[in-house]
């Protein structure tokens, strides 16, 4: 239990544990109905995968098995709560790597069953989508969301929690994949996105001009594989211009995202844009979107940098919203959904 007198749990408090294990990061979060996020920890197994140049699903699953229980214990100890204080457990059920999802699902279901409290399957992308609600300054519904996480690039019309309409998505590589693949082409290792962003700082913005894919045709879908190919062909001709190629690629990618966001805002007539997922940590993208926001009178919201990538806090948050509104898993089976559309989710009543 909490030591602080003012934070003594009452019968009206609802404390949710969140477990994130969809890929190569084990994240745990603890969300309190009155005090908000009261604890979170993350362990990334990225170093294990770096030598293979990408995530190895079997290794990711094994690492989650080792990490998840010690992390839960650490988060509870830090927040001065015990397992018996929990009112519900949320876990990422998809999208993601099947083996990795099964670890989080199995731990969540077993704990919930032994504690006789509800569990709930949470959509990984809904976690990213709502992560800005962990901040003091929060977006108001409705808004347009740009989700740029791992294998996903999508624009979503968000009317309320659980009321999502996909306006556009990537027809091939997601932008994060294109960043990683371009970094690999340039020999920057894994994970490529952050390494590429560092190299960009030394690049000359006038050296090369890359195409802005699909901006001259109507609609809100994306395509980034051609941009990656353009980077490969340019690098073959100019092998000693790595920083300039990285710069041209990043400018083209971020401007493409900005142009599509502006189009989605015009289409929906909304005045708020939420940007979330790993690529939302990219400073060039933030600069591009903030400038666009000022121009068209749009408020732009992001999660703090540590909640852009996968984390347990966002899963605890979504779990809190849904569990405290009476939603819960009906069966004891561990149901994961490696592929799962946001549009299938239920609205919170």
């Amino acid at each position: 239990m909490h030591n602080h007198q003012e934070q003594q749990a009452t019968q009206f408090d609802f404390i949710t544990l969140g477990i994130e294990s969809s890929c190569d990061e084990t994240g745990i979060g603890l969300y309190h109905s009155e005090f908000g996020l009261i604890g979170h920890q993350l362990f990334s197994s990225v170093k294990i995968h770096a030598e293979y140049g990408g995530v190895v699903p079997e290794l990711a699953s094994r690492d989650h098995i080792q990490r998840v229980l010690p992390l839960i214990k650490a988060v509870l100890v830090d927040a001065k709560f015990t397992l018996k204080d929990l009112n519900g457990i949320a876990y990422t059920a998809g999208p993601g790597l099947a083996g990795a999802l099964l670890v989080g699902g199995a731990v969540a279901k077993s704990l919930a069953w032994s504690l006789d409290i509800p569990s709930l399957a949470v959509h990984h992308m809904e976690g990213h989508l709502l992560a800005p609600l962990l901040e003091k300054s929060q977006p108001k519904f409705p808004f347009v969301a740009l989700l740029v996480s791992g294998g996903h690039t999508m624009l979503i019309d968000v009317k309320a929690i659980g009321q999502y309409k996909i306006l556009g998505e990537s027809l091939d590589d997601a932008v994060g994949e294109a960043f990683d693949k371009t970094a690999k082409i340039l020999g920057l290792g894994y994970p490529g996105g952050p390494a590429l962003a560092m190299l960009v700082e030394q690049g000359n913005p006038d050296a090369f001009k890359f195409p802005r894919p699909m901006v001259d045709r109507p609609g809100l879908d994306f395509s980034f594989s051609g941009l990656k190919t353009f980077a490969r062909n340019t690098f073959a001709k100019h092998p000693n211009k790595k920083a300039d190629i990285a710069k041209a690629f990043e400018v083209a990618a971020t401007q493409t995202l900005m142009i599509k966001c502006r189009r989605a805002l015009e289409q929906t007539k909304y005045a708020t844009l939420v940007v979330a997922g790993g690529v939302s940590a990219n400073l060039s993208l933030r600069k591009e979107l903030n400038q666009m926001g000022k121009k068209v009178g749009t408020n732009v919201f992001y999660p703090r940098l540590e909640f852009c990538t996968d984390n347990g806090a966002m899963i605890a948050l979504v779990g809190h919203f849904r569990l405290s509104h009476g939603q819960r898993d009906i069966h004891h089976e561990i149901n994961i959904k490696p592929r799962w559309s946001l549009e299938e989710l239920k609205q919170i009543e």
Side-chain angles (χ1 to χ4, degrees), residues 22-344:
S22 65
C23 191
D24 60 344
E25 274 137 344
T26 315
I28 303 297
L30 199 60
Y31 197 92
H32 190 290
S33 53
E34 191 180 342
F35 305 109
L37 184 69
I38 51 172
H40 64 96
Q41 288 205 20
L42 184 76
F43 183 87
S44 173
S45 62
V46 73
K47 286 196 179 105
I48 299 168
H49 306 285
E51 59 186 290
Y52 300 97
V55 177
V56 182
E58 177 66 19
L59 293 180
S61 306
R62 290 181 188 189
D63 200 63
H64 287 307
I65 290 167
Q66 289 180 293
R67 308 289 170 191
V68 67
L69 288 172
L71 278 177
I72 290 172
K73 192 175 177 184
V75 167
L76 285 167
V77 166
D78 279 1
K80 300 185 175 64
F81 280 102
T82 70
L83 284 170
K84 291 193 174 104
D85 295 315
L86 298 177
N87 300 99
I89 301 177
Y91 60 97
T92 303
L97 303 171
L101 293 167
L102 279 169
V103 177
V107 170
K109 288 277 190 176
S110 310
L111 271 179
W113 184 75
S114 63
L115 296 166
D116 197 23
I117 58 174
S119 65
L120 184 70
V122 165
H123 194 295
H124 178 75
M125 298 308 289
E126 186 175 35
H128 281 301
L129 180 71
L130 300 178
L133 298 179
L134 289 161
E135 307 307 325
K136 279 199 169 68
S137 171
Q138 296 181 0
K140 301 257 190 306
F141 298 98
F143 54 76
V144 169
L146 171 68
L147 282 189
V148 274
S149 163
H152 299 86
T153 298
M154 51 176 76
L155 279 163
I156 301 153
D157 177 341
V158 180
K159 289 198 166 60
I161 294 174
Q163 207 177 340
Y164 310 126
K165 181 170 179 253
I166 295 168
L167 300 169
E169 55 193 326
S170 188
L171 305 176
D172 42 54
D173 284 356
V175 70
E177 290 171 321
F179 264 94
D180 284 342
K181 287 176 182 176
T182 301
K184 203 170 187 178
I185 290 163
L186 299 176
L188 299 179
Y190 174 86
L196 188 95
M198 278 173 73
L199 184 62
V200 162
E201 291 171 28
Q202 302 157 36
N204 171 6
D206 302 316
F208 300 107
K209 178 120 163 82
F210 280 24
R212 306 326 185 228
M214 292 183 72
V215 297
D216 48 2
R217 59 174 94 170
L220 295 168
D221 285 332
F222 301 91
S223 167
F224 289 101
S225 71
L227 192 55
K228 172 202 68 194
T229 305
F230 199 92
R232 178 183 286 123
N233 296 342
T234 309
F235 183 53
K237 287 183 204 149
H238 307 276
N240 55 353
K241 297 266 188 165
K242 275 188 188 182
D244 295 345
I245 291 166
K247 180 75 176 175
F249 169 81
E250 187 182 71
V251 168
T254 55
Q255 286 191 355
T256 300
L257 291 169
M258 178 274 291
I259 290 163
K260 296 282 181 165
C261 284
R262 191 171 65 203
R263 203 175 280 178
L265 289 160
E266 283 164 6
Q267 190 178 306
T268 56
K269 302 195 168 44
Y270 294 166
T272 304
L273 174 68
V274 159
V275 190
V279 184
S280 71
N282 181 287
L283 298 178
S284 301
L285 177 61
R286 289 188 176 214
K287 193 174 165 189
E288 202 73 60
L289 292 173
N290 290 341
Q291 284 173 346
M292 181 270 291
K294 281 199 181 84
K295 239 181 246 170
V296 301
T298 295
N299 291 318
V300 189
F301 292 85
Y302 312 88
R304 72 190 81 159
L305 289 177
E306 66 183 319
F307 294 155
C308 289
T309 47
D310 295 350
N311 63 85
M314 67 184 191
I315 303 305
L317 173 81
V318 174
H320 159 72
F321 284 143
R322 292 186 171 278
L323 283 161
S324 60
H325 281 83
Q327 292 184 17
R328 53 229 336 86
D329 288 345
I330 300 159
H331 305 293
H332 285 310
E333 297 96 69
I334 303 154
N335 290 320
I336 56 156
K337 299 180 184 179
R339 295 185 178 277
W340 188 8
S341 170
L342 271 169
E343 293 184 332
E344 292 171 26

